[in-house]
Amino acid sequence: MSSTEITPASPPAFRPVSVAAANALSIASWLVPGLGYLLLRKWIRGALIVVSIFAMFFLGLGMQGQLFGVNGKNLLDILGWIGDLCNGLPYMITRIAGGGAGNLYTVTGDYGSMFLVASGLLNILAAADVRDVALGRKP
């Protein structure tokens, strides 16, 4: 046997991108949940985020949850609006289409509102994680 054995080539290591590109990926991931992971070829993470956020968002709407609008009078409404806005395009499209009026007189309506806010908060955390992954800070 010869002393030079052929070893299988290992996949190339992930190369971090520039800060501007990482910021662009983060914004894209905020607007379309999971898009940043998919562009980074993190297929499993991207699929988990897409399924999780859209499932929570549409379950919240299905439970007659309320999408918060801009309201400067009540601090809790402002925080709810920020949480909903973190959903990105799903929030904007639903608001433009007139959805998300909610029915807060039912128990499911209140839970639905919290599902909508929680999906937005998960989306913004995922967008921040996309930036870290793109910069090479995380695997």
Side-chain angles (χ1 to χ4, degrees):
M1 215 172 193
S2 67
S3 62
T4 58
E5 293 183 20
I6 298 175
T7 59
S10 62
F14 176 76
R15 291 186 196 167
V17 298
S18 68
V19 174
N23 290 339
L25 282 171
S26 183
I27 291 170
S29 187
W30 164 66
L31 284 172
V32 180
L35 180 62
Y37 285 124
L38 298 176
L39 292 175
L40 290 172
R41 298 179 188 221
K42 302 285 185 181
W43 308 115
I44 295 174
R45 285 186 198 181
L48 287 173
I49 290 297
V50 167
V51 169
S52 301
I53 291 174
F54 280 109
M56 289 175 66
F57 188 82
F58 290 116
L59 281 172
L61 288 177
M63 289 189 276
Q64 298 180 347
Q66 174 188 7
L67 283 173
F68 292 93
V70 181
N71 180 3
K73 298 176 185 172
N74 186 350
L75 179 61
L76 293 177
D77 285 345
I78 294 169
L79 293 174
W81 173 70
I82 292 170
D84 282 342
L85 186 62
C86 290
N87 279 305
L89 284 178
Y91 169 77
M92 295 174 203
I93 291 169
T94 305
R95 289 289 293 185
I96 290 170
N103 182 2
L104 298 181
Y105 296 108
T106 63
V107 175
T108 59
D110 196 28
Y111 281 113
S113 298
M114 296 307 107
F115 266 62
L116 293 166
V117 171
S119 67
L121 297 178
L122 176 61
N123 189 34
I124 205 70
L125 284 173
D129 187 57
V130 163
R131 186 176 187 278
D132 287 341
V133 170
L135 290 174
R137 296 179 185 164
K138 289 180 69 179

